[in-house]
Amino acid sequence: MQKGFLSIVLHAHLPFVRHPEHGSFFEERWLFEAITECYIPLIQVLDRLQRDGADYRLTLSLSPPLITMLRDELLQTRYLRHLQQLLELAEKEIGTTRKQPEIHFLARLYRRLFQNCLHVFQDQYQCDLLAAFAKHRATGKLELITSAATHGFLPLLGISDAAVRNQIAVGVATFQEHFNATPEGFWLPECGYYPGLEEPLHDAGIAYFFVDTHGIEHASQRPRNGVYAPLDCGNGVFAFARDPESSRQVWSSHEGYPGDYDYREYYRDIGFDRDLQYIAPYILDGEIRINTGIKYHRVTGGDQEKAIYQPKKALQKARLHAEDFLDKRRAQIDRLRAEMDRPPIIVAPYDAELFGHWWFEGPQWLECVLRLSGETDYGLQTITCSDYLKQFPKSQVAVPSASTWGDQGYSSYWINEENAWIYPLLHKAGTQMERLAEDFSNVARGSLQERALNQAARSLLLAQASDWPFIMKSGTTIEYARKRITDYLARFNYLHDSIRKNQIDEKYLVALEIMDDIFPNIDFRDYRPIAERQGKNTADSTP
């Protein structure tokens, strides 16, 4: 029997940003940067592991907005245009740096990186990265799970059962539509949990979810195995806790690996270093400096002048850090094993975008961890949580405590002086949506009314995304976040009033359907009370 297990979980999520009404839109770059720096490098890691027959297990959570955007033809076309622009800039840099050998070498490296991205995206996977993840899922080594429909922060939506249930159900349905399977696991947005949330998860067919460390530590019963075995919430849905030690080694700004002096510096980019006239064609409106992704310096440390990045040295450090990470996990397992009634599972969840975007060498570190963990002399094995539950189907019954993985461990990052104003508006719209569902449940399928009602449900879900209050608190693109919420709520209010007055403007409705092209199979009737939906379903099935 194995001494213990390591479960690495990557959560990939971006808010739904798609603007067909504009020829290009800056915030769409969030997706393009993540594809280039995170998702394609991750796919390349998985491809290499498969080629070499490596024995590993990894869990990847794909949020419904990200799933939708990765399959969107408009965004796929715009990403190709973005890549071509990066290749053009890299070629320009190669010419500019020909008398600077160290930087010239890096410019050529970036050209090769972008060429490889183009090959993987366009030639290898025909612009469909979900197909790549599905391929690796089919091997049994990559487990895919999902999250709430628009990554809504469920603890603050929990005053409405319908709001929470639809965030979960629509999220699961989106995964099913694209992968033809029901996910066993579910990533609670921001790891936001409150007692009772396991019920709608159970109803959606979910077997397990994740909470932060204190969610298990402060459970309704003292956890006999600490945070290194799941709890059964009492209904057959299991809660796994984040391991604080493995989290600190990667996330911590003081002791985490990404801050090593040999790694690439994220905050030094030619978008800010080059003369404005030179870089103008590759930045926002030719005037506003932005990151291009081409960076020539390493972290260096302290107040020193940033030194030139040395890729070979950085990759050597990534392997050393992978070995260090696994050595510490093995020591951790040896310490825990004697105190537990089963082999411990160390759950290490991270934002997927950390790997490659913020931490350029992250994908190489991950590949080393997965390769080395498959070697017998390390004494631990990577595993998915669903496989762990198959081996150990019975666990202590207890309910986790309310918790998140946000600052201070609760909800303060998503409700505070910067963003609290949104929740009365969201709750009002949610109540109105439920009344619409009750009052208009008998409208004809495919009718103009039904289309408007379904679009109102989409607008509500999009307004509920946790990204917008997070951005308002973090102080980044605040105006865009405000506009997203107010626009979605304005669309909902317009549709609500139009439906109530029976004055639906089909041209405007079509425009909304094009702009917010997500959840094609949504059914507004799911916002009815559970008892009414069950009664209607029973009536429908009566001979």
Side-chain angles (χ1 to χ4, degrees):
M1 179 182 287
Q2 281 287 336
K3 292 182 178 180
F5 301 94
L6 170 66
S7 182
I8 297 177
V9 184
L10 304 183
H11 175 51
H13 164 67
L14 290 172
F16 186 70
V17 177
R18 178 182 179 275
H19 290 276
E21 72 276 22
H22 296 281
S24 64
F25 204 83
F26 171 70
E27 279 76 12
E28 289 178 352
R29 291 177 63 99
W30 296 345
L31 174 66
F32 304 156
E33 290 175 359
I35 290 174
T36 303
E37 299 169 358
C38 306
Y39 310 144
I40 287 178
L42 175 59
I43 289 168
Q44 291 173 306
V45 167
L46 298 176
D47 285 347
R48 288 191 294 269
L49 292 172
Q50 182 183 43
R51 178 198 66 197
D52 298 341
D55 184 21
Y56 76 94
R57 297 295 183 275
L58 177 69
T59 300
L60 175 64
S61 166
L62 296 169
S63 76
L66 180 59
I67 288 172
T68 302
M69 291 189 294
L70 288 176
R71 274 267 161 86
D72 185 86
E73 291 185 6
L74 173 68
L75 293 174
Q76 290 170 349
T77 299
R78 289 184 174 181
Y79 175 65
L80 285 173
R81 185 176 67 191
H82 172 79
L83 258 186
Q84 293 294 347
Q85 192 175 42
L86 286 178
L87 280 165
E88 179 184 302
L89 178 56
E91 290 286 358
K92 189 174 182 178
E93 281 293 293
I94 288 171
T96 300
T97 61
R98 62 187 180 277
K99 294 182 179 180
Q100 301 169 279
E102 287 183 302
I103 296 179
H104 185 72
F105 171 79
L106 293 174
R108 294 172 68 88
L109 180 146
Y110 282 111
R111 181 179 63 180
R112 186 164 62 252
L113 184 152
F114 300 144
Q115 288 171 338
N116 288 339
C117 283
L118 181 61
H119 171 70
V120 171
F121 187 77
Q122 183 171 252
D123 302 330
Q124 191 173 350
Y125 291 107
Q126 291 73 54
C127 305
D128 184 7
L129 297 187
L130 294 187
F133 293 128
K135 178 186 78 172
H136 290 288
R137 176 181 178 272
T139 68
K141 295 184 177 181
L142 175 69
E143 178 169 17
L144 297 180
I145 64 174
T146 196
S147 187
T150 58
H151 215 256
F153 185 60
L154 302 182
L156 294 179
L157 299 178
I159 67 167
S160 165
D161 173 78
V164 171
R165 286 184 177 273
N166 277 277
Q167 277 283 343
I168 293 170
V170 173
V172 170
T174 300
F175 184 93
Q176 291 169 330
E177 290 159 14
H178 289 273
F179 294 103
N180 196 31
T182 298
E184 292 194 46
F186 194 88
W187 182 276
L188 296 175
E190 322 300 353
C191 291
Y193 172 81
Y194 60 89
L197 190 50
E198 63 276 4
E199 294 302 332
L201 291 172
H202 176 271
D203 293 345
I206 297 300
Y208 70 87
F209 62 93
F210 304 97
V211 294
D212 203 9
T213 312
H214 57 294
I216 297 294
E217 289 177 334
H218 302 158
S220 60
Q221 301 290 328
R222 181 177 176 273
R224 292 192 297 267
N225 293 308
V227 299
Y228 300 104
L231 293 179
D232 181 343
C233 295
N235 64 345
V237 178
F238 294 81
F240 288 84
R242 174 166 71 154
D243 168 49
E245 291 185 39
S246 57
S247 175
R248 188 164 52 247
Q249 276 187 270
V250 175
W251 276 117
S252 172
S253 59
H254 299 292
E255 52 190 295
Y257 299 132
D260 187 273
Y261 293 171
D262 287 325
Y263 287 146
R264 193 187 72 166
E265 172 61 71
Y266 174 80
Y267 293 100
R268 188 74 182 270
D269 188 283
I270 68 167
F272 296 87
D273 286 347
R274 294 299 188 199
D275 290 340
L276 184 60
Q277 185 175 358
Y278 174 94
I279 204 68
Y282 310 98
I283 60 176
L284 184 59
D285 298 326
E287 298 178 355
I288 301 174
R289 293 182 178 274
I290 58 173
N291 285 316
T292 65
I294 297 179
K295 307 170 193 292
Y296 294 138
H297 297 83
R298 55 188 173 94
V299 173
T300 310
D303 297 326
Q304 302 176 60
E305 177 68 21
K306 296 295 182 184
I308 299 300
Y309 179 59
Q310 299 178 41
K312 288 185 179 179
K313 196 170 184 180
L315 292 181
Q316 289 170 356
K317 190 62 67 73
R319 182 179 176 87
L320 287 174
H321 284 155
E323 293 172 349
D324 178 71
F325 181 82
L326 289 173
D327 286 341
K328 286 184 168 63
R329 301 291 76 73
R330 182 169 55 182
Q332 193 177 1
I333 285 171
D334 288 342
R335 186 175 70 248
L336 292 166
R337 187 67 182 94
E339 305 168 359
M340 294 180 59
D341 61 11
R342 67 191 66 198
I345 179 171
I346 296 172
V347 178
Y350 308 105
D351 278 338
E353 291 75 25
L354 169 68
F355 296 84
H357 180 67
W358 300 105
W359 182 16
F360 186 60
E361 299 78 12
Q364 285 72 37
W365 175 88
L366 178 65
E367 182 174 353
C368 288
V369 167
L370 295 176
R371 284 185 185 276
L372 292 170
S373 64
E375 299 176 2
T376 55
D377 59 343
Y378 261 98
L380 80 162
Q381 178 182 341
T382 53
I383 196 171
T384 64
C385 289
S386 59
D387 283 344
Y388 187 86
L389 291 174
K390 290 172 186 173
Q391 292 191 39
F392 306 97
K394 294 188 180 297
S395 289
Q396 179 184 357
V397 176
V399 178
S401 67
S403 53
T404 78
W405 76 346
D407 184 42
Q408 301 180 48
Y410 297 97
S411 299
S412 61
Y413 215 89
W414 292 273
I415 183 166
N416 48 67
E417 61 276 9
E418 281 84 13
N419 53 36
W421 60 271
I422 72 174
Y423 293 102
L425 302 176
L426 291 175
H427 296 156
K428 178 183 177 182
T431 300
Q432 290 175 323
M433 187 70 240
E434 293 169 39
R435 290 173 180 165
L436 286 174
E438 290 185 67
D439 295 346
F440 293 89
S441 61
N442 293 322
V443 299
R445 301 279 178 175
S447 66
L448 186 64
Q449 270 188 314
E450 186 192 47
R451 285 170 52 199
L453 287 156
N454 286 339
Q455 195 61 36
R458 291 186 189 99
S459 296
L460 175 61
L461 286 170
L462 289 166
Q464 291 172 339
S466 69
D467 309 273
W468 313 132
F470 181 90
I471 288 171
M472 282 187 269
K473 172 62 176 175
S474 63
T476 51
T477 54
I478 296 175
E479 288 308 310
Y480 182 71
R482 284 177 173 272
K483 183 169 173 53
R484 286 289 81 193
I485 290 180
T486 54
D487 280 356
Y488 289 136
L489 287 172
R491 292 169 190 175
F492 174 84
N493 291 333
Y494 171 83
L495 290 165
H496 171 270
D497 293 347
S498 298
I499 293 163
R500 288 290 182 192
K501 296 174 183 177
N502 196 24
Q503 295 177 348
I504 301 169
D505 183 336
E506 186 170 11
K507 289 184 178 179
Y508 186 69
L509 175 59
V510 168
L512 293 182
E513 290 172 331
I514 291 171
M515 284 192 292
D516 299 334
D517 187 13
I518 191 172
F519 313 135
N521 298 316
I522 197 169
D523 188 345
F524 76 93
R525 297 171 184 85
D526 291 335
Y527 279 88
R528 291 175 295 168
I530 294 176
E532 183 180 332
R533 284 190 281 127
Q534 291 175 338
K536 177 66 175 175
N537 292 341
T538 301
D540 288 345
S541 62
T542 303

